[in-house]
Amino acid sequence: MSLVFAGVCSHAPGITGRAKLADPKLRDDLYASYDRMRERIEATKPDALIVVAAEHFANFFMNNMPAYCMGMAEQYEGPIEDEDWLAIKRRTVPGNPGLSQRLIRSVMEDTDLAYAEEWKFDHGIMVPLNFLTPRYDLPVIPVNINCQGPPLTPLHRAWRFGRALRRACDEQPERIALIGTGGVSHWPATPDSGVINEAWDHEFLDRFINNRKDALLSYTDEETFRDAGQGGFEIRTFITVAGATEGSIGELLIYAPIPIFAVGCTVAIMNIGERPATEALLETA
Amino acid sequence: MSLYYVQKLLYQLNRDSHTQQRYREDFEGLLAEYELDDEERDALRDGDIGLLYVMGVNGQILMHYSALIGQEWHEYIEAMKDGVKQHGPVRGGLYTLLEERDQ
């Protein structure tokens, strides 16, 4: 079939683990936005969900760090974190190795990526799944972009990876949903945790929602680090989704800065169904 | 200074139940498998989050380790702040850039 859904969301561990410490109104609005995203995903009746994540040293380390990696396992497990700390129970998550293998072969025509038949999910994937596939009955295909240990893949490569991923999805008979998950500005797990650069976030999300490629790719890592923290490097996951939905316009379901969650919490959907991407591309050409 | 191996030990401890069992039952034996200096071994023996942060351990690794040893969130954040007060600015890794930004 093809790609049937695309969106992005936050994955900060505080969203579940520190839920009781947040302003209840802000928290509940955020949770309602995840629910809306889940309903939109379910309405597209996907056969699998690709999660483009920026993991946090759960599987990949500086001894052999892939810029891009896709899971190819029968099943995955997570979270690696203490269950009470994250407030998510450890469990197995189904995969689809056959589909993974076909996607990997196709993406490799354009982008070199590693694969992994073993993968332990951390909060970066488990927090989104907790809201979006709460019964854990939808096969998940994890993708990782190294956003933690520089050198990092350039932004224009993340965009190109997204395009390759879109083409790979469109070649498959399955109905595929895609989410990217990462932070906008944040300084997670440091003494600056809770700092949020709202102006920077609004500007970035405007570029993302309107799929402004040149503007999205114009950030340097030095600027991002200065203005959006080391957590800002995770915009690569958003940019991959933007590349996969080139020519589409998005819808921001929520942007809510919640310091105890250490990030401006974001849920957004790209309206890929409204018009064919090729048509939109012709208009912008 | 062997920041790489400090982080490698914590990375494996965070994700691997076998390493967690060795951490509980044979911590000295586990430590001996990594190329660490005395200060690093002491910081790991003490679960000294503040000093590990100052050494330059990545916060994502440190945060998972903090959860593993049962710290509350505010204790974790305070431990890093106290570490900087006690031991000075971050010495290695990504966060040295944060210090440069603040100067």
Side-chain angles (χ1 to χ4, degrees):
Chain A
M1 173 60 188
S2 65
L3 190 74
V4 295
F5 175 90
V8 294
C9 66
S10 302
H11 65 229
I15 292 172
T16 51
R18 299 191 291 279
K20 289 176 186 158
L21 301 178
D23 179 325
K25 170 77 169 67
L26 290 176
R27 178 196 63 208
D28 293 348
D29 285 351
L30 173 63
Y31 286 11
S33 299
Y34 278 113
D35 281 343
R36 284 177 65 196
M37 188 187 218
R38 175 180 54 75
E39 289 163 6
R40 296 277 284 268
I41 292 172
E42 288 173 351
T44 64
K45 302 190 184 313
D47 299 307
L49 173 66
I50 298 174
V51 183
V52 178
E55 73 134 41
H56 316 84
F57 301 107
N59 301 276
F60 308 109
F61 189 67
M62 281 78 83
N63 59 348
N64 189 4
M65 179 66 81
Y68 300 93
C69 185
M70 183 178 285
M72 201 170 74
E74 286 278 354
Q75 61 181 31
Y76 306 93
E77 65 174 64
I80 67 154
E81 292 94 338
D82 182 87
E83 294 173 310
D84 293 333
W85 181 83
L86 191 61
I88 296 177
K89 289 282 176 206
R90 196 155 295 128
R91 58 174 60 249
T92 58
V93 179
N96 181 338
L99 176 57
S100 287
Q101 199 169 120
R102 281 180 273 129
L103 291 170
I104 291 163
R105 283 182 196 281
S106 177
V107 170
M108 276 178 168
E109 293 288 339
D110 187 84
T111 302
D112 295 323
L113 80 167
Y115 64 82
E117 293 195 56
E118 191 180 337
W119 194 312
K120 295 181 179 184
F121 293 168
D122 68 17
H123 64 269
I125 290 181
M126 291 307 289
V127 169
L129 294 185
N130 173 69
F131 294 104
L132 302 176
T133 65
R135 296 178 301 281
Y136 296 92
D137 53 358
L138 181 63
V140 168
I141 296 177
V143 174
N144 190 61
I145 302 177
N146 170 29
C147 298
Q148 303 296 341
L152 309 176
T153 190
L155 301 187
H156 68 90
R157 296 291 300 172
W159 179 281
R160 187 163 169 161
F161 175 60
R163 287 184 67 162
L165 202 52
R166 173 62 178 271
R167 192 199 61 234
C169 288
D170 287 349
E171 290 167 358
Q172 309 308 320
E174 290 90 348
R175 300 174 62 84
I176 301 170
L178 166 70
I179 62 165
T181 173
V184 274
S185 74
H186 62 315
W187 287 256
T190 72
D192 292 335
S193 175
V195 175
I196 294 167
N197 185 343
E198 288 186 45
W200 192 92
D201 290 352
H202 283 298
E203 174 61 30
F204 175 80
L205 290 172
D206 180 70
R207 296 179 191 191
F208 174 77
I209 290 292
N210 292 297
N211 206 268
R212 289 163 54 204
K213 177 183 177 184
D214 291 346
L216 278 171
L217 302 188
S218 70
Y219 295 99
T220 67
D221 276 350
E222 290 73 21
E223 289 165 350
T224 300
F225 189 85
R226 181 191 68 211
D227 300 330
Q230 81 282 356
F233 292 154
E234 292 179 350
I235 59 173
R236 284 165 173 77
T237 63
F238 282 48
I239 287 172
T240 292
V241 171
T245 60
E246 189 165 16
S248 297
I249 300 298
E251 180 186 346
L252 186 63
L253 300 186
I254 195 167
Y255 169 76
I258 305 179
I260 191 65
F261 294 168
V263 72
C265 299
T266 307
V267 180
I269 288 171
M270 294 306 287
N271 293 316
I272 57 172
E274 285 187 357
R275 54 181 182 166
T278 46
E279 182 189 315
L281 280 175
L282 285 173
E283 283 175 22
T284 55
Chain B
M1 184 71 186
S2 36
L3 176 61
Y4 174 82
Y5 287 106
V6 175
Q7 294 191 98
K8 188 168 185 185
L9 189 159
L10 292 174
Y11 157 74
Q12 288 174 324
L13 179 61
N14 285 339
R15 72 186 299 274
D16 177 43
S17 58
H18 176 67
T19 308
Q20 288 166 10
Q21 188 182 347
R22 295 208 53 212
Y23 171 75
R24 290 189 296 268
E25 295 173 4
D26 179 27
F27 189 41
E28 288 302 317
L30 181 64
L31 283 178
E33 291 174 12
Y34 297 83
E35 292 177 32
L36 305 168
D37 65 28
D38 289 343
E39 186 185 39
E40 290 160 347
R41 273 188 292 270
D42 283 345
L44 289 163
R45 284 188 189 107
D46 297 342
D48 189 340
I49 294 285
L51 182 52
L52 291 167
Y53 175 73
V54 167
M55 286 174 176
V57 175
N58 186 290
Q60 300 291 346
I61 293 173
L62 206 53
M63 179 177 74
H64 289 166
Y65 172 61
S66 159
L68 183 83
I69 63 176
Q71 277 189 327
E72 294 292 331
W73 180 250
H74 68 90
E75 293 175 318
Y76 167 60
I77 299 293
E78 287 307 313
M80 286 186 289
K81 289 179 178 172
D82 290 346
V84 173
K85 275 184 211 151
Q86 193 178 340
H87 303 288
V90 176
R91 301 171 193 164
L94 191 58
Y95 305 135
T96 54
L97 297 173
L98 286 175
E99 305 279 343
E100 287 172 16
R101 179 204 63 185
D102 293 341
Q103 279 164 14

